[in-house]
Amino acid sequence: MFPIVLAILLLDSNQRPCPSSSSTVPTNTPLPRRLIVAYSPSIAVFDFAVPSSCIPFAVPWTVLLRGVPSQLSALQPPLRLQILEPCPPDIRPCARPSRSLIVGRRMKGGLLFRGWKTLTSRGFCSLNDKSLRVCVIGSGPAGFYTAEKMLKAHERAEVDILDRLPTPFGLVRSGIVVNQFSRVASNERCSFFGNVSLGSDVSLSELRDIYDVVVVAYGAESDRSLGVPGENLTGIHSAREFVWWYNGHPDCRNMAPDLKCTDTAVVLGQGNVALDVARILLRPTSELQTTDIAEHAMVSLQESTIRKVYLVGRRGPAQAACTAKELREILGMKNLQVHIREADLVISPADEEELKASRIQRRVYDLLCKSATSHQGHGFAGQRELHFIFFRKPDKFLPSEDQSRVGGVRLEKTCLKANGLSGKQAAIGTGQFEDLNCGLVLKSIGYKSVPVDGLPFDKYRGVVPNVKGRVLSSDQPENVNIEQGLYVVGWLKRGPTGIVATNLYCAEETVASILEDIDNGLTASPSGSPKPGRQGLLQALEDKNVRFVPFGGWEKIDSKEKLEGQLRNKPREKLTTWDELLKAALG
Amino acid sequence: MSMLEAAHENDIELEGACEGSLACSTCHVIVMDVNYYNKLEDPTDEENDMLDLAFGLTETSRLGCQIVAKPELDGIRLALPAATRNFAVDGFVPKPH
């Protein structure tokens, strides 16, 4: 919990560095580059060497300077000192200082420096200052955080962000982060290219030829499948598509889920997405009228006859995948009867262990318990109901009487068994079945990423094999090579989990790997000639007649949507077809 | 003034990625003395939601943007955790540095 002492580098009285026993630098290493320490009132230069690799990012570190010259000793703490980046001795120090340090205390014979090394401290001091051409594929949070950090960390980086949609930001269409990302896109070293599809408009190998660094950040646009009979019956959809539909995603504009054929919907899964779709189905539509929900969905929901939603999970309340905030939102809905069986809330010692280990799970479980006891009382006809069903997994889907669509789902009762390897408990079928009638099924069991040509892919885990964001050429551990210049971030790297902020740390890790590789010359092209970057992309797109949407094009879409929204007292009225979007952006 | 703002004013490296809007956990601090911790108001549900995701959470952890300076807190000592990244919602355990 306290700052870790990572490296203590000592200067002897002649001011030559000698690594201490706690440093990782062996004594016969050639002298690292000179570190320039600046202090008020003037710059003093010490032959004081700190190998960059000794100081990880974003972690406190401590350095002890012994035998300091008399000028420093005379100054009174707290002293404000800045450590400038290591520079080759024959050229000017780089202008950008790293974070300043404050002297902790005076030790016997020296001064103790304690501080942080952050990504922003990475300056470049070569006379041969080369531009760095970066391509980020995917403009969701992962892509934008990566772009932001690359721009901050490298003064000459040019970052191009590609997205197959004309609109940026991925799943985050609005909110605080969008403002932040818009600032990134407005940076003159950053360009957005919408309506550019990886694979069909430009291939991964072409991009790797054009750019020094390519980062794949295109997330997860497919679904895990259950693999049970009847999965193809009409009326069974993935929750992801349903969410795209009501959010106005152009790919699901014509999905037209039938919400009038039944009063019961079954949602398989109990994660945040499952709660989201349940909430949309159960919320009074008057409340939705002032949101930016797509108009076609609004009409459909107003005519909906669905009044009961079942949230079905294979395991118990101690394993529910949702988080407290989302659960509070749905449990707090007015005029909603929430049903949770008390018997399901009984927890085993193994459950207790899991809850002890995870604060998140504990808070979710507590919320479910509280809800079970407080939501009693009689309902009225047509009242909306939310049922949490635990310990059930789908065995097959049953057709409706006229065989035209789904009529129900057969569930198998489960019990939990400890999985020795992972420590988690798995749901095992018990051979007892029961049927649940419904006319709509939404599968919310996880998103899945889609592989593309030329990109190594782990089919089992549904991610790109990588180490700290560096893409590996094979998912076999024995035969691993690092793909030069190719990196991954976000859901495509970690799997489709976490929240928006999770990508902040994910991007930090990947960008740290990129910067390390640049430092070690691992991203330089073998021929030595610079890559064409943005110009190369523009040429490639022109050759294929691709009409890309620049950030200004998105701004036109944004303005139009907001204008239309104003007429209807909504924050915006989304454009939901490819034609409308491209016309607004480029027409 | 919140502790996050105070840190920035004094050049202390406390990241506040969401600028104090309870949308991240990068300003996670540990209150070193329990009696000072008890003087603080209970965290709201929203703060708890974000603390859920903080790395190296302790019994006296709070978000720096939610601790507002007042005379009763004079002398409070806050420690910065060893790392402010690698949290996960799904139980992923980050490797130590």
Side-chain angles (χ1 to χ4, degrees):
Chain A
M1 279 181 269
F2 292 89
I4 300 170
V5 173
L6 291 162
I8 301 182
L9 289 145
L10 311 175
L11 290 183
D12 62 17
S13 52
N14 292 329
Q15 293 188 330
R16 283 238 216 91
C18 50
S20 76
S21 56
S22 64
S23 139
T24 54
V25 178
T27 47
N28 57 357
T29 314
L31 277 182
R33 296 165 291 183
R34 181 192 294 173
L35 181 74
I36 300 166
V37 178
Y39 70 95
S40 171
S42 60
I43 294 185
V45 176
F46 300 97
D47 277 325
F48 170 54
V50 180
S52 296
S53 50
C54 272
I55 306 182
F57 291 113
V59 182
W61 54 278
T62 304
V63 159
L64 181 67
L65 258 190
R66 285 199 203 279
V68 294
S70 49
Q71 309 114 294
L72 260 189
S73 312
L75 296 169
Q76 290 304 308
L79 289 171
R80 209 189 194 83
L81 289 138
Q82 289 174 319
I83 296 206
L84 301 174
E85 276 301 304
C87 287
D90 48 289
I91 46 185
R92 302 188 308 279
C94 72
R96 182 191 301 219
S98 75
R99 296 295 189 193
S100 56
L101 307 180
I102 299 171
V103 173
R105 58 200 162 101
R106 207 180 283 289
M107 287 191 67
K108 209 162 157 189
L111 286 169
L112 190 70
F113 295 73
R114 180 171 278 153
W116 292 73
K117 187 172 200 267
T118 63
L119 278 175
T120 56
S121 73
R122 281 257 173 193
F124 277 76
C125 340
S126 164
L127 273 177
N128 207 12
D129 234 7
K130 285 198 319 181
S131 280
L132 180 74
R133 320 227 188 238
V134 180
C135 180
V136 177
I137 303 171
S139 70
F144 260 103
Y145 276 133
T146 301
E148 183 180 40
K149 289 172 190 298
M150 279 307 308
L151 288 167
K152 257 199 198 153
H154 192 310
E155 279 181 342
R156 301 289 308 274
E158 277 180 14
V159 181
D160 292 342
I161 309 177
L162 274 52
D163 200 291
R164 75 174 178 90
L165 288 182
T167 57
F169 311 131
L171 292 175
V172 184
R173 260 285 223 127
S174 61
I176 296 164
V177 281
V178 165
N179 296 335
Q180 182 182 350
F181 294 157
S182 294
R183 282 199 295 271
V184 174
S186 312
N187 186 318
E188 58 188 8
R189 290 183 286 133
C190 182
S191 281
F192 173 71
F193 290 84
N195 197 32
V196 175
S197 189
L198 179 68
S200 48
D201 293 332
V202 63
S203 73
L204 185 62
S205 61
E206 275 180 282
L207 289 172
R208 291 178 76 184
D209 285 337
I210 294 171
Y211 291 93
D212 298 309
V213 168
V214 175
V215 185
V216 281
Y218 62 74
E221 292 201 322
S222 177
D223 311 290
R224 291 174 65 193
S225 88
L226 285 166
V228 303
E231 209 166 340
N232 290 324
L233 285 169
T234 304
I236 302 178
H237 307 273
S238 83
R240 172 189 61 87
E241 289 175 323
F242 190 71
V243 171
W244 278 11
W245 170 75
Y246 66 71
N247 270 322
H249 194 293
D251 285 353
C252 283
R253 171 64 180 85
N254 299 320
M255 183 177 147
D258 189 346
L259 307 179
K260 290 193 282 196
C261 64
T262 181
D263 69 349
T264 303
V266 166
V267 179
L268 298 169
Q270 292 170 337
N272 286 336
V273 177
L275 295 191
D276 271 352
V277 297
R279 210 173 64 233
I280 290 289
L281 287 170
L282 291 170
R283 241 174 122 181
T285 47
S286 52
E287 287 181 24
L288 294 174
Q289 256 157 13
T290 49
T291 67
D292 61 356
I293 193 170
E295 185 61 25
H296 55 258
M298 187 65 189
V299 169
S300 194
L301 287 163
Q302 277 167 333
E303 298 171 353
S304 161
T305 52
I306 293 176
R307 295 292 175 269
K308 283 192 273 208
V309 174
Y310 288 83
L311 281 165
V312 179
R314 285 176 305 177
R315 298 189 293 165
Q319 289 84 30
C322 54
T323 52
K325 178 175 173 201
E326 284 70 18
L327 191 55
R328 275 202 312 274
E329 247 181 89
I330 200 171
L331 295 177
M333 277 171 63
K334 290 199 305 271
N335 299 325
L336 178 69
Q337 235 189 8
V338 178
H339 298 257
I340 300 177
R341 283 177 40 213
E342 298 261 5
D344 285 340
L345 292 169
V346 173
I347 48 176
S348 66
D351 289 334
E352 190 64 60
E353 284 299 310
E354 278 186 30
L355 292 179
K356 264 210 204 108
S358 166
R359 200 183 114 115
I360 296 172
Q361 292 299 143
R362 176 98 233 169
R363 290 181 69 220
V364 166
Y365 175 74
D366 286 345
L367 277 168
L368 289 168
C369 288
K370 218 168 85 173
S371 180
T373 54
S374 66
H375 282 83
Q376 312 287 14
H378 303 284
F380 51 86
Q383 165 147 48
R384 291 154 198 254
E385 297 170 20
L386 177 67
H387 299 251
F388 279 87
I389 306 286
F390 295 105
F391 306 106
R392 300 288 186 277
K393 68 176 185 155
D395 181 66
K396 57 155 51 129
F397 295 102
L398 309 165
S400 57
E401 267 190 48
D402 64 2
Q403 307 289 316
S404 67
R405 52 181 301 117
V406 67
V409 53
R410 177 156 296 166
L411 299 170
E412 185 180 6
K413 202 155 175 248
T414 66
C415 64
L416 297 186
K417 202 172 136 191
N419 175 343
L421 286 167
S422 68
K424 286 190 170 180
Q425 300 179 77
I428 309 289
T430 60
Q432 293 169 273
F433 297 88
E434 61 197 35
D435 292 348
L436 192 49
N437 292 332
C438 63
L440 177 73
V441 175
L442 295 175
K443 299 180 288 177
S444 187
I445 58 172
Y447 291 31
K448 205 168 74 173
S449 291
V450 178
V452 303
D453 270 347
L455 183 65
F457 195 75
D458 178 341
K459 281 192 283 276
Y460 177 65
R461 290 178 54 220
V463 296
V464 171
N466 72 93
V467 161
K468 292 192 177 172
R470 294 180 178 94
V471 174
L472 303 173
S473 64
S474 151
D475 53 4
Q476 312 299 336
E478 326 83 51
N479 191 23
V480 163
N481 272 323
I482 293 185
E483 291 275 349
Q484 188 188 351
L486 187 59
Y487 303 83
V488 63
V489 69
W491 278 4
L492 191 52
K493 172 184 169 196
R494 308 186 319 268
T497 58
I499 57 175
V500 173
T502 318
N503 294 293
L504 184 76
Y505 305 105
C506 189
E508 236 174 56
E509 186 185 62
T510 296
V511 171
S513 298
I514 295 173
L515 294 173
E516 228 175 272
D517 290 352
I518 292 169
D519 249 9
N520 295 329
L522 294 174
T523 54
S525 63
S527 63
S529 49
K531 298 255 175 96
R534 194 167 297 161
Q535 292 311 313
L537 178 67
L538 288 167
Q539 187 64 57
L541 295 177
E542 201 184 297
D543 289 347
K544 293 226 186 89
N545 255 329
V546 175
R547 299 177 70 210
F548 70 87
V549 174
F551 198 70
W554 148 248
E555 286 170 329
K556 290 188 194 147
I557 294 174
D558 192 30
S559 299
K560 182 141 204 269
E561 287 184 346
K562 283 188 181 139
L563 208 64
E564 297 288 318
Q566 259 176 13
L567 303 171
R568 296 171 177 76
N569 200 24
K570 297 167 78 165
R572 66 173 66 238
E573 183 61 64
K574 283 186 185 160
L575 300 176
T576 58
T577 65
W578 281 94
D579 279 343
E580 285 174 311
L581 286 162
L582 291 173
K583 188 154 160 241
L586 305 168
Chain B
M1 178 181 286
S2 73
M3 293 298 109
L4 177 64
E5 290 164 325
H8 286 171
E9 295 246 322
N10 288 282
D11 265 337
I12 291 174
E13 293 291 345
L14 188 60
E15 172 114 39
C18 75
E19 295 168 2
S21 61
L22 283 179
C24 74
S25 62
T26 54
C27 69
H28 170 213
V29 294
I30 299 156
V31 183
M32 289 180 62
D33 307 298
V34 143
N35 30 336
Y36 277 106
Y37 178 77
N38 292 333
K39 286 188 190 173
L40 301 171
E41 276 167 32
D42 279 347
T44 58
D45 278 337
E46 287 71 26
E47 185 182 344
N48 270 327
D49 287 338
M50 291 301 119
L51 279 171
D52 276 354
L53 309 166
F55 180 77
L57 197 72
T58 67
E59 293 291 325
T60 56
S61 283
R62 293 295 302 266
L63 293 183
C65 64
Q66 300 301 305
I67 303 178
V68 179
K70 50 185 185 179
E72 304 84 73
L73 297 180
D74 188 20
I76 190 172
R77 295 185 304 152
L78 303 172
L80 304 183
T84 59
R85 56 183 171 149
N86 295 337
F87 68 78
V89 173
D90 55 1
F92 163 74
V93 177
K95 294 191 188 53
H97 295 288

